[in-house]
Amino acid sequence: MRFSNNPLITPKDIQPTTDGYEVFSVLNPAACTFNDEVLLLLRVIERPVQTKGFLSIGVLDVGSGGYKRLDFSLDDPLLNYDDPRVIKYDGVTYLTGMSHLRLARSRDGVNFKIDPKPTIMPSTYEERYSIEDARITKLGAAYYVYYVAVADFGFSTILLKTTDFVRFERIGNIFPGVNKDVAIFPEKINGMYAALHRPDTGFFANPSMWMAYSPDLVHWGQYSLLMQPRAGKWDSSRIGAGTVPLKTDKGWLEIYHGADEDHRYSLGVLLLDADDPSKILYRDSKPLIEPAMDYETNGFFKDVVFTNGMVVSPEDPGKMFLYYGSADERVCGAALMLDELIGRCNCPGRAAKPRVVMSRL
Amino acid sequence: MRFSNNPLITPKDIQPTTDGYEVFSVLNPAACTFNDEVLLLLRVIERPVQTKGFLSIGVLDVGSGGYKRLDFSLDDPLLNYDDPRVIKYDGVTYLTGMSHLRLARSRDGVNFKIDPKPTIMPSTYEERYSIEDARITKLGAAYYVYYVAVADFGFSTILLKTTDFVRFERIGNIFPGVNKDVAIFPEKINGMYAALHRPDTGFFANPSMWMAYSPDLVHWGQYSLLMQPRAGKWDSSRIGAGTVPLKTDKGWLEIYHGADEDHRYSLGVLLLDADDPSKILYRDSKPLIEPAMDYETNGFFKDVVFTNGMVVSPEDPGKMFLYYGSADERVCGAALMLDELIGRCNCPGRAAKPRVVMSRL
């Protein structure tokens, strides 16, 4: 079911934002259909072209909107770079790469053309280090784009609204603190907007999936635990939403990610009750996709498949295109038949062919 | 300014909830005035009376609403109890004590009578380990009580509503994940409810104070950073709201807590703009109260003064009674003159006597 032309997009396919910078990763795209095209909103990670003896990074210069370059001498005893994703210098933590979001477009969902310039760059103080791992939810005629913002003082979830993917209106910071993997349902449920999310759980427990509800998309509450990692299984260490939930006549279909103790990230199927998504109808005991291909097992962070979006094939309403980041470095795709996905879920009446239900506001 | 009869309340003053249990700490009370009395909502921490060779704890049995007792043999190699506040056993983390909330009542704000039974006990799955560090905000005729709930899967902030301090209506879980020190303002600001809070900031930064807004007290958003710890000062390591902000004619008066790298917790004055509390008018460079007395420097967790509430003296509108936990073990009080507190704040027109402004909805 993986696309035969995987990986679809690799860092060398992406033009850097500015001279003197290089793209070292492209991953975890949001996905939607818009004007007869499949759109991916790629997370692109850049850094300055490195020079011998130095570790160089870029952070947002909030005033100018451009990059501010920081160069750390590898000899400097104040520098700590044990983790490839972060560096620590003199008590301050930085990211080794700054991410922005960039559109890729496709008529067939398989072959993508990448925009030469960023679509959404970090622009505010909450986004000084990076904007990462977007998802897109269509609600009525509007598309809502939301992502994790990273700054020197912590994490935010920022919500934008667009109708044309050219202009983006900033709605606000909708989840505080370390809260990732937000996926907003594409219609109201019992009169309220709903979302999956993954708040930090401190030292007590492993990251879990929670529900939240909102009257207006701006203010969220009614937080409740949906499900936790499962000891001994593929999703034993941490779990979070993957795709934006897709409404089917059997319930909300969600592809979520789980990692085990070895930080091996796989994807599994979850089916939630249509009227009360806090009810779990089915959860995969074995992963749907686990790292297996060389482009998934080797890379910037090995053994990772991680999804932020799935669309219905432009040509076949019974076929889904799932997009995912592999090894935190590349973008891949897989074709999944809806009846096979729902067939895993032990639904009553499973003999009847499942179908996608168009969401409405 | 400290009360001469400090500590006001100690563990021996508190009757345990049930036979076979003992109270080992009483701390961090919410405070309000109600029916001509000062009410404190104490955090009371209990554990089973310990027996030789064992470490025993209680957790909520959600079904019965009572304690479920767990006994761990000190010889058990799976037991880890290096930290006095938590134990780890076979991959699961527990608290060494379970907290509930209990009322203490006073006519003069200085001498308190403690209810013999708990006022609010843990009762839901989010509260299985503990409910801690309440605050009380009066909005119109209703009193809102909110606190941190701790369970095996993490932290929540639970909001209750009462008009009589006998029946409490559960409003919901209003902040997800590791988010403590919520303090809801006692009136709407520009048409919205407002709160201070302290989301977890991950490995990037030290815990900081943030703002949030809500249309209905149930759903919160518009998150923004208010202020961070300050290197080299008394509040260098972590900060959070203390008292519920008090409206004065000079702005919102807030007593917040800060800790330094040695986990020494002190209290300081903060003055926020009346119409836009995200504007800081004044922040104490030196603490208002720091651990100095024996009952503050010695105890369950030494060198801690930590406040959750302040009231206007029943007898003098220019005098404030601040209540605080000391050394995570006792409840203390201090009398503070409003003009001295505001006098620290370098306000324009400081010669005019400051006054408390009654909040209205």
Side-chain angles (χ1 to χ4, degrees):
Chain A
M1 59 185 162
R2 286 170 174 89
F3 289 170
S4 58
N5 60 333
N6 272 350
L8 303 178
I9 304 170
T10 67
K12 70 175 170 37
D13 300 324
I14 315 274
Q15 202 170 310
T17 302
T18 185
D19 284 347
Y21 278 72
E22 63 187 6
V23 172
F24 69 91
S25 175
V26 53
L27 71 167
N28 303 359
C32 70
T33 50
F34 176 73
N35 282 356
D36 299 323
E37 284 187 321
V38 175
L39 295 187
L40 298 184
L41 196 53
L42 312 168
R43 172 179 167 197
V44 173
I45 319 184
E46 294 183 305
R47 68 183 166 207
V49 176
Q50 303 291 298
T51 50
K52 195 167 168 5
F54 288 88
L55 204 157
S56 301
I57 63 167
V59 299
L60 172 68
D61 179 38
V62 179
S64 74
Y67 278 116
K68 178 179 170 186
R69 179 181 173 134
L70 302 174
D71 301 296
F72 302 96
S73 169
L74 295 178
D75 296 337
D76 193 327
L78 293 176
L79 181 68
N80 175 330
Y81 57 107
D82 294 341
D83 183 323
R85 295 166 299 181
V86 297
I87 62 174
K88 288 167 193 267
Y89 184 82
D90 195 16
V92 181
T93 303
Y94 300 91
L95 294 179
T96 49
M98 179 162 146
S99 299
H100 67 266
L101 304 175
R102 194 181 304 205
L103 281 172
R105 303 158 194 271
S106 171
R107 286 275 164 192
D108 60 8
V110 178
N111 298 287
F112 283 87
K113 187 158 182 284
I114 301 155
D115 281 11
K117 291 191 177 299
T119 308
I120 306 170
M121 276 290 283
S123 63
T124 69
Y125 78 105
E126 296 112 326
E127 302 175 346
R128 210 164 80 88
Y129 281 180
S130 198
I131 59 176
E132 308 189 341
D133 292 1
R135 287 182 181 81
I136 299 170
T137 298
K138 184 170 189 280
L139 282 157
Y143 292 79
Y144 290 87
V145 176
Y146 41 100
Y147 51 80
V148 174
V150 190
D152 44 340
F153 55 82
F155 298 84
S156 304
T157 298
I158 304 296
L159 177 68
L160 310 180
K161 179 183 182 179
T162 187
T163 53
D164 57 11
F165 286 92
V166 177
R167 286 153 302 181
F168 295 87
E169 177 194 353
R170 190 184 175 89
I171 305 294
N173 183 347
I174 59 171
F175 288 93
V178 182
N179 196 328
K180 295 187 168 186
D181 304 322
V182 172
I184 300 175
F185 287 71
E187 66 179 63
K188 284 187 180 176
I189 297 168
N190 301 318
M192 299 291 279
Y193 298 102
L196 304 169
H197 65 119
R198 198 226 68 190
D200 189 39
T201 37
F203 55 86
F204 270 91
N206 290 325
S208 301
M209 288 172 69
W210 289 59
M211 293 289 305
Y213 293 91
S214 171
D216 57 9
L217 294 171
V218 179
H219 307 91
W220 292 83
Q222 297 169 261
Y223 298 107
S224 63
L225 179 69
L226 177 66
M227 63 188 215
Q228 291 185 272
R230 294 174 296 191
K233 291 205 190 288
W234 62 277
D235 53 358
S236 59
S237 168
R238 52 200 303 134
I239 57 173
T243 59
V244 170
L246 177 75
K247 194 167 191 186
T248 76
D249 61 345
K250 307 296 183 197
W252 290 104
L253 177 65
E254 160 70 17
I255 313 295
Y256 76 102
H257 71 261
D260 63 17
E261 274 75 13
D262 296 326
H263 308 290
R264 186 169 184 268
Y265 281 76
S266 304
L267 301 175
V269 171
L270 187 66
L271 193 70
L272 305 174
D273 185 83
D275 299 318
D276 179 3
S278 69
K279 280 194 206 153
I280 297 169
L281 303 180
Y282 173 80
R283 178 180 179 181
D284 257 344
S285 59
K286 292 202 175 0
L288 174 71
I289 301 179
E290 58 189 318
M293 309 299 281
D294 180 64
Y295 53 79
E296 295 162 350
T297 56
N298 289 302
F300 184 66
F301 199 92
K302 72 184 173 75
D303 288 331
V304 174
V305 294
F306 190 99
T307 187
N308 293 49
M310 182 168 74
V311 302
V312 179
S313 157
E315 277 137 33
D316 178 354
K319 188 191 276 186
M320 308 290 121
F321 289 157
L322 179 79
Y323 300 98
Y324 63 97
S326 73
D328 273 9
E329 187 176 319
R330 311 166 190 98
V331 169
C332 298
L336 305 165
M337 298 311 295
L338 182 63
D339 55 3
E340 288 175 21
L341 290 172
I342 296 292
R344 297 166 79 94
C345 297
N346 312 316
C347 300
R350 58 189 291 195
K353 198 166 180 62
R355 62 185 172 79
V356 172
V357 178
M358 290 306 292
S359 286
R360 74 269 174 239
L361 258 196
Chain B
M1 60 185 163
R2 285 169 174 89
F3 288 171
S4 59
N5 60 334
N6 274 347
L8 303 178
I9 305 171
T10 68
K12 68 176 171 34
D13 301 323
I14 315 274
Q15 202 170 308
T17 302
T18 186
D19 284 349
Y21 278 72
E22 64 187 6
V23 172
F24 69 92
S25 174
V26 52
L27 70 167
N28 303 356
C32 70
T33 51
F34 176 73
N35 283 354
D36 299 322
E37 284 188 320
V38 175
L39 296 186
L40 298 184
L41 196 54
L42 312 167
R43 172 179 167 196
V44 173
I45 319 184
E46 295 184 304
R47 67 182 167 207
V49 176
Q50 303 291 298
T51 50
K52 195 167 165 15
F54 287 87
L55 204 157
S56 302
I57 64 167
V59 300
L60 173 68
D61 180 37
V62 179
S64 73
Y67 278 117
K68 179 179 170 186
R69 180 182 171 131
L70 302 175
D71 301 297
F72 301 97
S73 169
L74 295 178
D75 297 336
D76 194 327
L78 293 177
L79 181 67
N80 174 330
Y81 56 108
D82 295 340
D83 183 323
R85 295 166 299 181
V86 298
I87 64 173
K88 289 168 192 267
Y89 184 83
D90 195 17
V92 181
T93 303
Y94 300 91
L95 293 180
T96 50
M98 180 161 146
S99 300
H100 67 266
L101 304 176
R102 194 179 304 204
L103 281 172
R105 302 156 195 273
S106 172
R107 287 274 164 194
D108 60 7
V110 177
N111 298 286
F112 283 88
K113 187 155 183 286
I114 300 156
D115 281 12
K117 291 192 177 296
T119 308
I120 305 170
M121 275 290 282
S123 63
T124 69
Y125 77 105
E126 295 111 326
E127 302 174 347
R128 210 163 79 88
Y129 280 179
S130 199
I131 58 175
E132 308 188 341
D133 292 359
R135 288 181 180 81
I136 300 170
T137 298
K138 183 168 189 278
L139 282 157
Y143 292 78
Y144 290 86
V145 176
Y146 41 100
Y147 51 80
V148 174
V150 190
D152 45 339
F153 55 82
F155 299 83
S156 304
T157 299
I158 305 296
L159 177 68
L160 310 179
K161 179 182 181 178
T162 187
T163 52
D164 57 11
F165 286 93
V166 177
R167 286 154 302 181
F168 295 87
E169 177 195 352
R170 189 185 176 86
I171 305 293
N173 182 348
I174 57 171
F175 288 94
V178 183
N179 196 327
K180 296 186 167 184
D181 304 321
V182 172
I184 300 175
F185 287 71
E187 67 178 64
K188 285 187 181 177
I189 298 169
N190 301 318
M192 300 290 280
Y193 298 102
L196 304 169
H197 64 118
R198 196 227 68 190
D200 189 41
T201 38
F203 54 86
F204 270 92
N206 290 326
S208 303
M209 289 172 67
W210 288 59
M211 293 290 305
Y213 294 92
S214 171
D216 56 10
L217 294 171
V218 180
H219 306 91
W220 292 83
Q222 298 169 257
Y223 298 108
S224 64
L225 179 69
L226 176 66
M227 63 188 215
Q228 291 185 270
R230 294 174 298 190
K233 291 204 189 289
W234 61 276
D235 54 358
S236 60
S237 167
R238 49 198 307 133
I239 57 173
T243 60
V244 170
L246 176 75
K247 195 166 190 186
T248 76
D249 61 346
K250 307 296 183 200
W252 291 104
L253 178 65
E254 160 70 17
I255 314 294
Y256 75 103
H257 71 261
D260 63 17
E261 275 74 14
D262 297 325
H263 308 290
R264 186 169 184 268
Y265 281 75
S266 304
L267 301 175
V269 171
L270 187 65
L271 193 70
L272 304 175
D273 184 84
D275 300 318
D276 178 4
S278 69
K279 278 193 206 155
I280 298 169
L281 302 181
Y282 173 79
R283 179 179 178 181
D284 256 346
S285 59
K286 292 200 176 357
L288 174 72
I289 300 180
E290 58 190 320
M293 310 298 281
D294 180 64
Y295 53 79
E296 296 162 348
T297 57
N298 289 303
F300 184 65
F301 199 92
K302 71 184 172 75
D303 288 331
V304 174
V305 295
F306 190 99
T307 185
N308 294 48
M310 181 169 75
V311 302
V312 179
S313 157
E315 278 137 34
D316 179 353
K319 188 192 277 189
M320 308 289 120
F321 289 156
L322 179 79
Y323 301 98
Y324 63 97
S326 73
D328 273 9
E329 188 177 316
R330 311 166 189 96
V331 169
C332 298
L336 305 165
M337 299 312 293
L338 183 62
D339 54 3
E340 289 174 21
L341 290 172
I342 297 291
R344 297 167 78 95
C345 297
N346 312 316
C347 300
R350 58 191 291 195
K353 198 164 178 65
R355 61 186 174 79
V356 172
V357 178
M358 290 305 292
S359 286
R360 74 265 177 243
L361 258 196

